[in-house]
Each structure stands twice: as C-alpha cells, then as structure tokens.
Amino acid sequence: MKTEFKTWVIAVDGYSSTGKSTVAKLIAARLGLTYIDTGAMYRVVTLEALRRGLIVEGQVDRAGLQSCLKDIRIGFKYNTALERYETYLNGEYVEDQIRGMEVSEQVSVIAAIDFVRIFLVEQQRAMGRKESVIMDGRDIGSVVFPDADVKFFMTASEKIRAERRYRELIEKGETVSFEEVEANIRKRDYIDSHRAVSPLKQPEDAIVVDNSNMTVEEEIEFMLRKIEEIRQKSTEN
Ligand code: DC
C-alpha cells in the first residue's frame, strides 16, 4: 500500500558511491514519489562543457561555461522497459555518457563552480515544489531544501565504496583499474567536502545511514521505518 503524502521532500545526501541512487529509486517506487538524481544534473553540465572544449587539463573556461548554461536543458524520462530514469541533454539520450570515467573525472570541478550550482539548485527547487520527491545529492538537506521533511545522510567505508563502483564500471565494459576508481572516489570526496560553495557536510538533523555492512533490503527497511515515524509524527501535530 502506498503512503499518502502532502508535497513531501525526502533528501538523500552523502559521499560518492554510497548507493544513494539505488536506495532513493527503490524508496521512490515503494512510496510513489518522483526520484530526482541531482548528481546527473552536474554530470550533464560537465558533459556539455567537455563537448565544447571548455575543460582543458582540469582548468575550466568559466566565461564560456557561463554563457552556454542557457542552452542546456536537462530532462529525466522513466524507461518502463528497463524500469529506470534516464537523463537527457536537449532531448538527446546521455545516460551512458554521463556515467563514464571522462565525466566522473571532471564533474567535481564543475560542481564546485558557484554559478553552475545556482543554475541547477533553482531547477531542483522548482521540481520539489511541484510534487513529492526523493532527491539525492550532496547539498539537498543543507542548501536546496533545508526544510526537507526527511533527511538522510549516507556513508560507507572508502574501500567498500570503491569496490562497488569498480564492479559497476567493469559490468558496463569500461577498462579501469581498481586503483584508478579508488583514487577517483578519494579525490571527489576531497573536492566535494572542501569546496567553498555548498560543501558536502552532514546536516545536524539528518539520519545517518552507514551501509558498509548492510544489505540494500536492510537499508530500505530502515529508511522506510524512519520515514513512516516522521510521517506519523507530522500527522499528529
Ligand atoms: O552523485 P554523483 O556521483 O553522480 O555526483 C556527481 C558529482 O556532482 C559529485 O562530484 C558531487 C557533485 N554533486 C554536488 O555537488 N551536488 C549535488 N547535489 C549532487 C552532486
């Protein structure tokens, strides 16, 4: 049975490769909420910047990027056959390209740029105001929706996260070494947590989920229980 929500926002933040999107998608399906992958939005902007040659040796042509933002339209469509949300850039399917190593290598640099964040946060807020959503990212509970109804903060040991990500990339046919993946995760964590604008940090009122030793099912059960507790409390008030 699906739970009835007024417009609700559930924020799922945390480190790279903690399985945020896996659990957020499953919870969205269980509760009938719309799932929004905000990391995909930063990835789309990165892909466009790479295509336009605006990132050279890690250096971004900021003026060039700023002027091209107005031409970027990000879309999500649910693929019923594959049962997943897929990402589009100006109507073009880019789901596979935004998950590759080339985009992953550069995305933290793009996500640290203030005007990129302003551009995307505005769109995220508009999506959350329209309907009930579960949104995953790094700053959803801290910046995008500080008043989110439920805030989760996901974490897991670095080694476990690297193993998960490595398996995912190998299954997709990418040629990468475990060491490369581990180094990428470490570098992204560092940049995400140390950037000047909206750094990744655990909101004080977030529910921490350390899934190093949890199965996905255990995690989902735990999170659904927490959501239900908060929902019941909110209806009592
Ligand atoms: O969740 P992900 O790995 O797809 O995110 C890609 C990058 O975007 C990652 O380096 C962190 C950044 N990001 C962010 O800064 N804020 C968000 N709300 C989502 C992602």
Side-chain angles (χ1 to χ4, degrees):
M1 196 180 75
K2 286 191 174 157
T3 314
E4 286 302 321
F5 289 97
K6 57 173 184 43
T7 343
W8 262 48
V9 173
I10 300 178
V12 182
D13 291 305
Y15 293 99
S16 304
S17 302
T18 42
K20 296 186 295 294
S21 66
T22 305
V23 292
K25 281 176 203 164
L26 289 167
I27 291 174
R30 295 271 270 267
L31 299 180
L33 306 169
T34 296
Y35 164 64
I36 295 164
D37 175 355
T38 63
M41 300 171 82
Y42 289 93
R43 288 172 180 271
V44 169
V45 173
T46 307
L47 177 65
E48 184 63 15
L50 284 166
R51 284 179 172 180
R52 292 187 185 225
L54 299 172
I55 312 175
V56 179
E57 288 170 12
Q59 295 299 311
V60 182
D61 170 354
R62 290 174 61 102
L65 181 61
Q66 192 155 21
S67 74
C68 90
L69 287 183
K70 63 176 183 332
D71 303 325
I72 299 180
R73 269 184 305 103
I74 302 169
F76 295 111
K77 269 190 222 157
Y78 188 72
N79 180 329
T80 41
L82 295 177
E83 295 185 339
R84 64 172 197 181
Y85 285 91
E86 293 173 341
T87 314
Y88 287 76
L89 163 59
N90 296 334
E92 176 198 347
Y93 172 89
V94 291
E95 184 60 35
D96 300 328
Q97 283 187 58
I98 62 165
R99 307 289 166 191
M101 273 308 266
E102 207 192 350
V103 169
S104 299
E105 286 282 353
Q106 306 297 341
V107 64
S108 291
V109 177
I110 295 295
I113 299 176
D114 49 1
F115 59 79
V116 172
R117 302 202 71 86
I118 291 167
F119 172 72
L120 294 178
V121 166
E122 202 177 294
Q123 297 180 31
Q124 292 154 12
R125 288 191 178 138
M127 294 187 236
R129 275 195 294 263
K130 209 172 67 188
E131 57 191 340
S132 290
V133 295
I134 180 161
M135 212 175 256
D136 86 43
R138 304 291 190 289
D139 59 341
I140 310 306
S142 56
V143 174
V144 184
F145 287 107
D147 297 329
D149 298 276
V150 189
K151 297 180 188 179
F152 290 109
F153 192 86
M154 318 294 290
T155 175
S157 77
E158 194 178 276
K159 186 159 171 285
I160 285 190
R161 290 190 286 133
E163 279 168 8
R164 288 178 187 154
R165 182 84 184 119
Y166 175 69
R167 231 178 295 129
E168 213 175 276
L169 287 168
I170 294 296
E171 275 165 21
K172 280 188 191 153
E174 290 225 13
T175 351
V176 281
S177 69
F178 177 76
E179 288 70 29
E180 246 179 297
V181 174
E182 198 178 26
N184 176 255
I185 285 188
R186 198 170 299 143
K187 188 171 127 203
R188 278 208 282 157
D189 283 351
Y190 185 85
I191 302 178
D192 292 345
S193 325
H194 289 82
R195 67 183 175 219
V197 271
S198 309
L200 167 68
K201 68 170 195 282
Q202 184 188 317
E204 269 177 25
D205 50 350
I207 300 160
V208 178
V209 185
D210 181 339
N211 60 27
S212 304
N213 298 305
M214 276 171 125
T215 65
V216 172
E217 203 40 50
E218 283 167 347
E219 223 179 323
I220 300 288
E221 288 308 318
F222 171 77
M223 293 169 80
L224 286 173
R225 212 167 44 238
K226 291 288 172 194
I227 294 169
E228 184 53 23
E229 279 169 21
I230 292 170
R231 195 185 69 86
Q232 280 189 5
K233 258 194 214 137
S234 77
T235 54
E236 281 163 14
N237 295 331

